[in-house]
Amino acid sequence: MKRIEAKSPTRVDLAGGTLDMWPLYLFHANCVTVNLAIDIMTYVTIIPRNDRKIILKSEDTKTEQVYENTDDISREVAVRKNHDLHLLKVHIDFWRPPTGFELITKSESPVGAGIAASSSLNISLCGAFSKFTERILSVEDTVTLAGNLEARVIQTPTGCQDYFPALFGGLNLIELTPLGPRRMSLDFDIQEFQKHFILVYTGRPHHSGLNNWQIFKDHIDGNATVLSNFEKLKNIARNMLNACQNRDWKSFGPLFDEEFKARVGLSKVFSSPEIERLREVALKAGAEAVKICGAGGGGCVFLWTSEKDRDKVEKVCRDEGFQVLQAKPTRAGLEIRTV
């Protein structure tokens, strides 16, 4: 078999993050999550071998591990410790290819950026292994598998929203229903979005699993503040869905600002000193709003600004020592090729 290459995009979530965690969305009527794929990519390469040996390589961490066969990897996964390259190993344990191979991964995302790089890598792995094992999964099964394998790695519940932009690219309107998540697409003007969008890395990695797990427990325990802010986030997400459908660009800034306040009201762990400092300097420079990416606590935020103030806001962020990422919205989803 030929060499297999897969790649998929990461995302920024526009509204409704955290609502996508099962079963929390079942406790609030008509939940949606809205997100947009961006061109910061993850890559997976599988090179078949003529023996049973398995070689794992991460270009990001400069890590390489060698195993004699899949059984050796399955025994390590069964210990249930989060080893290096653990996501790769739980995939191998599931797919169990009949021959050996070299597996190489790469991510363009900073560590702990909150733009769903691990979920994107998860989908890239699904695509590559599906091709390698000739085992084709439906969209629903792919999303379920990716979420379950990621939960095995981080040992906490996961949401479902991050797999859709990696699979499909573009804007994703995700209805969270008793039958599970259902994606709606929209012919969205990503060029107009780009005029107002600045993605900034705060310099501090976040840990989405820990942040989401605390919210999950508080919600199940019936914490009144959490429940109230979940309702606020739900309503903001519905309004964001309507703004996207109506191309109501003037509503985006106020909605992102509402989302920030509701998310920090949900829990202080979503913010950080770095995020607060960035928010202060960005708003002072003319940004309309700051949107926390993913589970926050660090990682990336994106800024929403008028087109005329965009360059000034971007310069101020750089002058203050923050890393402005050259990210753009993309319509490209998962791509697989053999070479």
Side-chain angles (χ1 to χ4, degrees):
M1 181 180 286
K2 296 180 179 179
R3 169 191 182 111
I4 297 167
E5 297 179 350
K7 67 177 182 178
S8 63
T10 55
R11 64 96 182 99
V12 288
D13 51 322
L14 306 191
T18 313
L19 299 179
D20 63 313
M21 295 176 64
W22 183 91
L24 301 188
Y25 60 78
L26 299 175
F27 308 149
H28 302 267
N30 302 316
C31 284
V32 298
T33 297
V34 184
N35 62 36
L36 181 64
I38 57 174
D39 64 353
I40 296 176
M41 311 294 287
T42 66
Y43 302 86
V44 168
T45 300
I46 295 177
I47 305 171
R49 295 174 57 89
N50 293 324
D51 55 19
R52 297 189 65 199
K53 187 169 288 188
I54 298 169
I55 302 172
L56 307 180
K57 294 181 180 178
S58 166
E59 293 191 359
D60 309 300
T61 61
K62 309 301 181 187
T63 303
E64 177 175 335
Q65 297 179 3
V66 181
Y67 295 85
E68 290 302 316
N69 51 54
T70 55
D71 292 336
D72 287 349
I73 289 177
S74 294
R75 280 191 287 270
E76 187 172 291
V77 169
V79 177
R80 291 194 283 185
K81 283 189 175 181
N82 195 339
H83 304 282
D84 290 340
L85 311 181
H86 198 46
L87 180 62
L88 281 60
K89 296 170 189 176
V90 298
H91 267 276
I92 294 166
D93 184 49
F94 172 79
W95 296 97
R96 296 192 68 83
T99 64
F101 56 92
E102 185 174 341
L103 175 62
I104 305 166
T105 63
K106 177 185 175 182
S107 173
E108 295 176 342
S109 170
V111 175
I115 55 176
S118 63
S119 299
S120 169
L121 180 62
N122 204 336
I123 292 299
S124 295
L125 287 163
C126 284
F129 276 115
S130 176
K131 185 74 172 178
F132 187 40
T133 61
E134 299 181 339
R135 184 176 177 182
I136 307 304
L137 301 181
S138 66
V139 169
E140 292 79 10
D141 284 348
T142 300
V143 170
T144 298
L145 174 66
N148 287 340
L149 294 185
E150 192 158 354
R152 289 188 72 183
V153 172
I154 66 176
Q155 298 287 295
T156 60
T158 64
C160 61
Q161 66 145 319
D162 296 341
Y163 309 119
F164 290 97
L167 278 167
F168 295 103
L171 183 76
N172 297 270
L173 312 174
I174 304 161
E175 296 268 18
L176 301 164
T177 80
L179 287 173
R182 295 293 182 266
R183 174 185 178 270
M184 301 180 291
S185 61
L186 183 69
D187 184 18
F188 189 65
D189 189 348
I190 60 176
Q191 281 76 29
E192 182 64 31
F193 188 93
Q194 176 63 24
K195 294 175 184 178
H196 306 273
F197 164 78
I198 306 170
L199 185 65
V200 183
Y201 182 57
T202 62
R204 174 180 178 174
H206 83 146
H207 194 309
S208 61
L210 291 178
N211 289 0
N212 283 335
W213 175 235
Q214 186 59 55
I215 300 304
F216 187 94
K217 290 194 295 183
D218 289 345
H219 192 293
I220 296 296
D221 288 341
N223 181 293
T225 299
V226 169
L227 294 176
S228 172
N229 280 287
F230 253 73
E231 281 294 311
K232 291 179 184 177
L233 290 171
K234 182 196 78 173
N235 292 332
I236 293 165
R238 299 285 334 175
N239 290 334
M240 177 56 69
L241 184 150
N242 292 334
C244 289
Q245 290 176 325
N246 296 323
R247 294 169 175 76
D248 181 10
W249 301 104
K250 291 182 179 179
S251 294
F252 278 55
L255 286 171
F256 290 142
D257 191 53
E258 284 183 55
E259 212 274 352
F260 184 96
K261 293 172 182 175
R263 187 157 297 281
V264 174
L266 184 65
S267 174
K268 298 299 183 185
V269 301
F270 284 104
S271 190
S272 69
E274 293 84 359
I275 291 175
E276 293 298 331
R277 185 168 71 87
L278 175 59
R279 186 168 187 260
E280 180 181 357
V281 300
L283 294 180
K284 187 175 180 180
E288 296 178 22
V290 175
K291 171 69 178 67
I292 294 170
C293 294
C300 287
V301 303
F302 73 78
L303 311 178
W304 189 257
T305 179
S306 67
E307 185 178 0
K308 68 179 178 64
D309 289 329
R310 189 180 186 282
D311 290 344
K312 180 177 70 173
V313 172
E314 189 173 308
K315 182 179 183 302
V316 166
C317 292
R318 286 199 177 95
D319 290 346
E320 291 293 325
F322 295 104
Q323 182 182 358
V324 177
L325 303 179
Q326 297 305 306
K328 302 186 296 295
T330 179
R331 291 189 175 89
L334 173 66
E335 297 179 7
I336 310 165
R337 67 172 188 159
T338 56
V339 294

